[in-house]
Amino acid sequence: MSKVYIALQDNEESHYIVEAIEEDNPDVTVIYQPAMIRIECEGHMVIKRETVEEKMGRDWEIPALHVNLITLGGNVDEDDDQLSLTWNN
Amino acid sequence: MSNKKLNMKDKYRLLTRDLEWEFSYRDRKEIFPQEDFEGIKITDWSKWEDPFRLTMDSYWKYQAEKEKKLYAIFDAFSQNNGQQNVTDARYVNAIKLFLTGVSPLEYQAYSGFAHVGRQFGGVGARVACQMQSLDELRHVQTQIHAMSHYNKHFDGFQDFAHMHDRVWYLSVPKSFFDDARSAGPFEFMVAIGFSFEYVLTNLLFVPFMSGAAYNGDMATVTFGFSAQSDEARHMTLGLEIIKFLLEQHEDNVPIVQRWINKWLWRGYRVLTLVAMMMDYMLPNKVMSWQESFEVYFEEAASSLFKDLARYGIEMPPYAADAIAEKEHLSHQAWSIFYNYGHAAAFHTWMPTAQEMDWLSEKYPNTFDKYYRPRFEKWREMEEAGERYYNPTLPMLCQTCQIPMGFTDMENPTMTSYRQSVYDGERYNFCSNGCKDIFDHEPEKYVQSWMPVHQIFQGNCGGPEMEDVLGDYYRINLGVDNLDFKGSPDEARWNGWHNLQSAEDKLKKAS
Amino acid sequence: MTIEIKTATLEPIRNTFEHTRRRFGDKPASRYQEASYDIAPENNFHYRPMWQPDKLLNDTSRTAVVMEDWYAFRDPRQYYYGTYVQARAKLQEVTENNYAFFDKRGLGDRLSEEVKAKVVRCLIPLRHMELGANMNNVLCSAYGTSTVLTQAFLYNGMDRLGIAQYLSRIGLLLDGNSAEVLTKAKDHWMTDPAWQGLRRYTENTLVVEDWYEVFIAQDVVLDTLVYDLMYRQFDQAITEEGGSDLAMLIEFMQEWHKDTSRWVDATLKSTVAESDHNKELIGRWVAEWREKAVADLAPLAEIAVGDDAVNACTEALNQRLAKAGL
Ligand SMILES: [Fe+2]
Ligand SMILES: [Fe+2]
Ligand SMILES: [Zn+2]
């Protein structure tokens, strides 16, 4: 199984997003590098709006993810409620 | 009236896809005249899947937010003279190379995506390309603005656009993008959208920018990561176009495979510059070229190509050649630039003893065996006051335009050397990849504006090296070029820092 | 004392990049200047474009207009990417509030059936024309010369997509998101005789190869006429018929047109002032496209506003052309 990944700028907002990702995807590995956070997982990962909102305590939209996004790997599927990354292998 | 809630997909369909109509006063072919000549078969544009369903209102909103943050940091950086806080002034040469070599590619990406953003026959693909075009314009402009302050305190930034059109080593990235832009619209997308954006830009931006942060360069890391935040969209577009072409018609598969082979190699060769930036130009190291190559190329590409296998797409044959070179590439590249340090618009140097030890540790199979002896000899010469510069003009690979300094991986002390004859003329190549690319389209690659030939033909300012380097390239000789040691950059840097410590002493005393 | 020493050594060694120094003199340049002038590749292109082998990759001969210096232009708004998106984000925020207010207060229900039908027939189909305008401006951005012009074309092109999307949202506001209005409006665009002139005109602009001629046909001639007709005259007519709430939905287009007109006027004026050759050429293009546009727009103008409407917008166009020296 290949690894999907996402990297975020290391800042306040991203910390909430990372928390949310860890909660929704218990198998992820989080790697801290200078100024960035890389999160990887076998096969599939999902970022859910609701969980991020809960962590932040305010409204948050999926497209706002892009403000802090550095890179990603995997097939992307985005809708109002979530963004997912998947490898079909 | 009860309002039905529209989800993102429906909304995007209505607000973007549905704007299109069936032409009846004009023939579609007149409006999209470039869709056929590459042999790609598109049967149904409506099957295009929009990777991100971004409408202009949210584009403006989020991008403005990014820009506001970014420029606040640029302002703070210049107000506080942030250039003093980088690890050491040698580092700045990496971003000189960035501004002269990479930023102009962002400009070319802007132009290229505007071109395909007009030419594609499906509105979904067009609009995605247009947004990318706008993003790429953002990248070149924010990079100029980030470097604007450095330009006021260091040499070598000042004439980047002029240099990009002329200087021998900048011909490597320039010819790469010229190659993509002069291809048809679908090949351009495979070249840039897929091979470059999806497979290679991570290597350019992610570890290098993280390295910039680690070297105290807030301006660069900020523009770098801010640009990357758009890159995620670009990567997804790149992957989408590939899937779309492969799903549209089985006849597209071999064409796309050939383009992937070509462009992965072509792009990888351009990244030679990044390899040496990472291993030699960052005083504080985050990871070696080899390590980033393994994460962002080997691992990422193998997931990707496994995913594409269901369409019959295979890992390009040259990937193995790239992997074989990973322990050599940065050392060979730095050797070339050290040799031609008088002809470059940035400074070069020999690594310190400590840095060489780091290289030995990171490259246990190659550094001590092949490179350390040579480097130590150069360092001795330098200490004896005879800094080595190669006075000859190098022979260049006809395809990638890099001097022929790569070696044969079977026998790493022998220069790798390939040839083809076309129309009675002989052409030289650095690798199988470059030779094959030429052999497939010789009529294209014989056109290359080869910097060394152009010098010999007298098209670059005159016969003397001063004419070429000074008048034609507009390198300030003795200032922008040569070794870092003894450069005005170094003198200014020491001035700032001696002063700093003098100041600290004063403060402590009072 | 220490501060003095520090400022002395941190004195910049140069004020700006060479490309801006050569053009504007040895002094600090603005961000607009540093990121807009002389940054496009101009020399030593490696390969001929396979899609147009008789030209270079960047080639000034993609238009018959001739400029001694293609960077003689200046965008009066001084938009580079950052200032552009921030200006649009501001306008977008106001618009978003307007649309939300319109929706929340159910202002659509307050419009009479006649007014609604008129909006569906006369305004919403313009979203397709805006898509054509998007393609045309992107073409100018791709094949035009000099970043001062080409960046503004791209901003303009993306603005037109934005406007097409706002027009679509007006449709969705009127039918509670059922998309019926958009379907109907598209039918008008495709088959309603009142729209066929404009659709033919749009399709004809999409095959023009000379990018400066595209600019004339779209941004100068057609847009001046259409924006005067729809966002001034039609707005008034609808207000008189009790549909004044529509105004808050088209404020974006009105503000945008004011903004972009400053750039269109400045561009046109500088080109015409360059030479008799340009003046004569552009004069000819204007005359040809104006004649077609006025005739093509007349049936729509009549049903949207009334008899005299097309003359009033022609007047607006003539005034603009006169300002540019045509
Ligand atoms: Fe970019
Ligand atoms: Fe990009
Ligand atoms: Zn080569």
Side-chain angles (χ1 to χ4, degrees):
Chain A
M1 184 72 70
S2 305
K3 273 185 200 155
V4 297
Y5 63 88
I6 187 167
L8 299 170
Q9 295 183 46
D10 189 348
N11 60 32
E12 182 77 3
E13 206 168 76
S14 297
H15 293 165
Y16 293 117
I17 301 172
V18 173
E19 255 183 69
I21 295 175
E22 284 181 296
E23 183 170 313
D24 291 327
N25 310 267
D27 295 334
V28 294
T29 313
V30 180
I31 306 158
Y32 290 86
Q33 283 170 348
M36 63 179 265
I37 311 167
R38 184 181 156 105
I39 308 137
E40 45 184 54
C41 195
E42 300 266 302
H44 181 80
M45 187 189 321
V46 62
I47 296 124
K48 291 186 182 159
R49 180 175 54 78
E50 263 198 327
T51 321
V52 177
E53 286 183 337
E54 200 180 283
K55 300 288 170 201
M56 288 182 177
R58 61 174 169 84
D59 285 354
W60 182 81
E61 292 176 323
I62 293 287
L65 180 68
H66 293 273
V67 174
N68 299 308
L69 192 56
I70 291 172
T71 184
L72 46 76
N75 291 294
V76 177
D77 190 37
E78 188 188 69
D79 64 28
D80 300 271
D81 298 321
Q82 61 171 54
L83 182 142
S84 68
L85 295 167
T86 316
W87 282 130
N88 305 311
N89 58 74
Chain B
M1 199 179 305
S2 70
N3 278 10
K4 192 171 97 176
K5 173 115 172 79
L6 287 175
N7 68 30
M8 203 184 244
K9 282 180 194 175
D10 288 334
K11 198 173 155 199
Y12 192 79
R13 182 175 52 77
L14 292 168
L15 298 192
T16 306
R17 299 287 288 263
D18 189 52
L19 296 173
E20 210 164 26
W21 73 94
E22 201 75 48
F23 303 117
S24 61
Y25 296 101
R26 287 289 181 166
D27 185 351
R28 251 188 83 81
K29 282 207 158 68
E30 288 179 279
I31 294 176
F32 304 114
Q34 297 184 20
E35 262 190 11
D36 293 330
F37 80 92
E38 298 170 270
I40 286 290
K41 294 179 182 152
I42 304 294
T43 52
D44 187 0
W45 271 110
S46 77
K47 292 283 187 321
W48 171 263
E49 278 282 344
D50 301 293
F52 287 106
R53 297 166 190 93
L54 198 56
T55 46
M56 281 314 292
D57 52 352
S58 11
Y59 182 90
W60 290 321
K61 183 174 142 191
Y62 288 114
Q63 295 298 109
E65 203 178 303
K66 292 181 191 172
E67 288 287 283
K68 226 166 94 191
K69 281 188 192 167
L70 183 56
Y71 281 90
I73 290 176
F74 290 169
D75 287 340
F77 184 82
S78 60
Q79 280 156 18
N80 301 327
N81 279 306
Q83 81 281 1
Q84 298 175 95
N85 304 330
V86 301
T87 40
D88 90 45
R90 290 177 307 163
Y91 162 77
V92 176
N93 293 286
I95 55 176
K96 293 177 192 174
L97 191 51
F98 200 98
L99 183 69
T100 52
V102 178
S103 304
L105 303 188
E106 305 276 17
Y107 193 94
Q108 295 231 52
Y110 144 65
S111 306
F113 279 98
H115 163 64
V116 295
R118 169 60 186 80
Q119 292 298 339
F120 284 143
V123 66
R126 266 202 319 274
V127 162
C129 291
Q130 292 170 5
M131 281 187 188
Q132 179 159 352
S133 170
L134 189 56
D135 291 337
E136 303 295 2
L137 179 62
R138 169 178 192 241
H139 299 168
V140 59
Q141 294 188 323
T142 53
Q143 285 163 27
I144 292 169
H145 291 150
M147 305 295 180
S148 172
H149 185 74
Y150 279 107
N151 172 54
K152 292 175 181 158
H153 295 278
F154 292 91
D155 297 308
F157 291 95
Q158 69 277 357
D159 229 343
F160 64 93
H162 175 89
M163 287 181 182
H164 191 76
D165 272 352
R166 293 165 182 81
V167 175
W168 61 277
Y169 56 91
L170 299 176
S171 200
V172 174
K174 180 180 160 97
S175 68
F176 167 81
F177 240 103
D178 278 7
D179 192 351
R181 277 214 294 148
S182 57
F186 293 109
E187 185 179 347
F188 174 83
M189 282 307 288
V190 173
I192 306 304
F194 179 73
S195 296
F196 197 66
E197 296 276 349
Y198 200 90
V199 191
L200 301 166
T201 42
N202 272 330
L203 272 168
L204 175 61
F205 274 92
V206 183
F208 179 69
M209 292 303 163
S210 199
Y214 206 43
N215 282 279
D217 182 3
M218 282 324 290
T220 299
V221 67
T222 312
F223 87 66
F225 282 166
S226 195
Q228 273 300 119
S229 68
D230 305 330
E231 234 50 69
R233 255 188 288 121
H234 303 173
M235 290 168 64
T236 313
L237 171 60
L239 187 52
E240 203 48 59
I241 187 85
I242 288 285
K243 290 195 277 186
F244 177 71
L245 293 179
L246 297 172
E247 278 163 16
Q248 280 291 304
H249 204 287
E250 59 184 19
D251 291 356
N252 295 343
V253 176
I255 303 178
V256 169
Q257 177 78 60
R258 192 175 58 71
W259 286 341
I260 290 177
N261 297 351
K262 166 178 171 182
W263 286 100
L264 214 65
W265 185 254
R266 200 88 172 75
Y268 163 74
R269 271 288 180 249
V270 174
L271 292 189
T272 303
L273 295 175
V274 183
M276 78 177 198
M277 280 158 90
M278 291 203 52
D279 282 345
Y280 287 87
M281 301 178 88
L282 298 180
N284 283 355
K285 328 270 187 198
V286 179
M287 62 204 306
S288 67
W289 163 257
Q290 182 181 347
E291 287 163 337
S292 16
F293 185 81
E294 284 165 358
V295 177
Y296 289 103
F297 183 84
E298 288 186 64
E299 204 180 297
S302 91
S303 318
L304 172 68
F305 282 98
K306 264 192 251 162
D307 200 69
L308 293 175
R310 68 197 139 113
Y311 299 107
I313 289 292
E314 291 165 8
M315 180 71 100
Y318 315 123
D321 297 344
I323 292 168
E325 283 181 1
K326 69 187 174 187
E327 296 177 82
H328 294 272
L329 189 70
S330 64
H331 318 303
Q332 300 191 348
W334 190 245
S335 303
I336 294 173
F337 278 92
Y338 185 81
N339 262 261
Y340 293 103
H342 54 302
F346 59 91
H347 301 300
T348 46
W349 57 86
M350 264 303 112
T352 62
Q354 206 188 355
E355 285 165 345
M356 287 212 212
D357 290 345
W358 181 83
L359 291 163
S360 305
E361 183 199 318
K362 290 292 176 185
Y363 296 95
N365 301 324
T366 55
F367 187 73
D368 285 351
K369 190 165 170 197
Y370 300 109
Y371 305 103
R372 184 187 273 274
R374 190 194 307 170
F375 285 8
E376 283 177 343
K377 193 177 131 229
W378 282 338
R379 203 166 59 190
E380 273 164 34
M381 289 173 73
E382 193 184 305
E383 279 159 5
E386 287 161 18
R387 189 343 183 146
Y388 177 68
Y389 292 109
N390 187 335
T392 63
L393 292 181
M395 183 189 281
L396 307 179
C397 169
Q398 184 72 23
T399 303
C400 72
Q401 309 204 9
I402 296 177
M404 305 277 288
F406 297 115
T407 59
D408 197 327
M409 287 304 120
E410 312 265 276
N411 184 359
T413 54
M414 291 283 290
T415 302
S416 158
Y417 194 78
R418 304 281 183 281
Q419 281 196 339
S420 289
V421 174
Y422 175 74
D423 213 6
E425 290 261 3
R426 201 185 338 218
Y427 297 91
N428 305 304
F429 309 97
C430 70
S431 55
N432 291 333
C434 283
K435 176 176 155 58
D436 291 350
I437 291 169
F438 177 95
D439 288 345
H440 191 83
E441 290 171 279
E443 60 300 331
K444 181 168 194 178
Y445 296 97
V446 295
Q447 300 174 49
S448 303
W449 190 89
M450 301 296 288
V452 174
H453 294 198
Q454 295 294 330
I455 293 170
F456 283 135
Q457 285 167 17
N459 296 330
C460 301
E464 300 300 326
M465 275 333 269
E466 284 77 51
D467 302 328
V468 176
L469 301 175
D471 298 344
Y472 188 67
Y473 291 175
R474 292 192 187 143
I475 294 174
N476 287 326
L477 298 176
V479 176
D480 300 341
N481 61 343
L482 305 181
D483 201 279
F484 175 71
K485 257 187 217 124
S487 68
D489 269 8
E490 185 195 38
R492 269 191 303 273
W493 174 262
N494 289 340
W496 300 339
H497 288 271
N498 293 338
L499 209 72
Q500 205 92 55
S501 46
E503 245 178 86
D504 290 345
K505 271 185 209 155
L506 254 170
K507 260 188 218 153
K508 269 180 206 153
S510 65
Chain C
M1 184 62 196
T2 46
I3 288 167
E4 267 178 43
I5 298 172
K6 198 171 172 183
T7 46
T9 46
L10 280 175
E11 201 65 38
I13 52 172
R14 56 178 72 75
N15 286 309
T16 182
F17 292 109
E18 280 296 291
H19 66 278
T20 32
R21 188 194 60 77
R22 283 193 286 272
R23 196 169 273 281
F24 302 107
D26 193 2
K27 55 181 184 223
S30 67
R31 280 187 170 145
Y32 172 69
Q33 290 170 335
E34 288 194 336
S36 308
Y37 287 88
D38 302 298
I39 61 165
E42 282 178 3
N43 287 288
N44 305 333
F45 295 103
H46 291 267
Y47 323 97
R48 295 259 165 184
M50 288 157 86
W51 38 272
Q52 205 177 31
D54 58 324
K55 300 254 189 276
L56 301 174
L57 265 171
N58 290 32
D59 199 319
T60 53
S61 75
R62 289 200 175 93
T63 175
V65 166
V66 179
M67 294 294 291
E68 173 147 326
D69 172 15
W70 277 100
Y71 284 95
F73 298 96
R74 178 175 172 276
D75 182 345
R77 306 162 301 178
Q78 300 194 50
Y79 280 160
Y80 56 93
Y81 182 91
T83 46
Y84 162 71
V85 284
Q86 292 185 59
R88 289 297 171 268
K90 238 188 244 162
L91 206 49
Q92 177 274 137
E93 203 182 330
V94 175
T95 311
E96 207 48 52
N97 289 337
N98 286 352
Y99 279 50
F101 183 84
F102 189 96
D103 191 29
K104 213 163 88 194
R105 297 295 171 93
L107 299 185
D109 298 338
R110 295 203 332 201
L111 298 174
S112 70
E113 286 309 312
E114 294 76 57
V115 166
K116 255 195 224 173
K118 209 165 169 183
V119 170
V120 174
R121 184 174 181 196
C122 302
L123 182 67
I124 313 294
L126 268 184
R127 62 203 277 267
H128 303 293
M129 186 282 279
E130 293 291 350
L131 183 72
N134 158 270
M135 292 166 70
N136 280 331
N137 279 284
V138 171
L139 176 132
C140 295
S141 190
Y143 309 124
T145 301
S146 89
T147 318
V148 275
L149 289 183
T150 59
Q151 70 176 335
F153 278 120
L154 186 60
Y155 305 147
N156 212 34
M158 301 319 280
D159 287 341
R160 309 310 291 271
L161 175 65
I163 290 169
Q165 291 173 337
Y166 280 130
L167 286 166
S168 310
R169 283 177 61 188
I170 298 176
L172 294 171
L173 277 173
L174 295 181
D175 65 15
N177 286 338
S178 75
E180 251 168 65
V181 163
L182 298 183
T183 311
K184 252 189 237 165
K186 196 175 204 171
D187 279 345
H188 284 299
W189 174 252
M190 294 308 291
T191 56
D192 187 342
W195 278 99
Q196 295 319 296
L198 197 51
R199 183 159 72 86
R200 183 175 52 229
Y201 185 100
T202 299
E203 292 187 18
N204 282 334
T205 60
L206 291 173
V207 302
V208 176
E209 281 176 23
D210 183 309
W211 62 271
Y212 204 99
E213 184 179 356
V214 172
F215 167 65
I216 295 294
Q218 180 72 55
D219 297 349
V220 176
V221 174
L222 187 64
D223 289 349
T224 309
L225 296 170
V226 167
Y227 274 70
D228 184 78
L229 175 67
M230 298 312 299
Y231 300 113
R232 188 180 65 83
Q233 299 188 55
F234 180 73
D235 181 28
Q236 276 168 13
I238 286 287
T239 302
E240 279 160 27
E241 292 171 41
S244 60
D245 290 338
L246 181 73
M248 72 172 75
L249 304 181
I250 57 174
E251 200 184 316
F252 183 98
M253 292 70 147
Q254 291 164 334
E255 288 302 312
W256 173 81
H257 190 240
K258 238 189 271 165
D259 176 276
T260 206
S261 293
R262 294 201 288 160
W263 166 71
V264 170
D265 287 341
T267 303
L268 192 60
K269 198 171 169 183
S270 308
T271 325
V272 170
E274 169 85 2
S275 66
D276 287 342
H277 163 84
N278 287 355
K279 189 173 173 172
E280 189 269 326
L281 176 70
I282 292 172
R284 185 148 40 83
W285 281 335
V286 165
E288 282 169 24
W289 287 101
R290 176 173 54 193
E291 193 187 319
K292 287 190 248 185
V294 169
D296 288 341
L297 202 57
L300 178 67
E302 200 178 322
I303 58 156
V305 181
D307 282 351
D308 225 25
V310 83
N311 295 331
C313 42
T314 312
E315 192 40 44
L317 174 59
N318 290 343
Q319 273 175 21
R320 252 188 122 166
L321 295 169
K323 262 201 293 183
L326 284 163

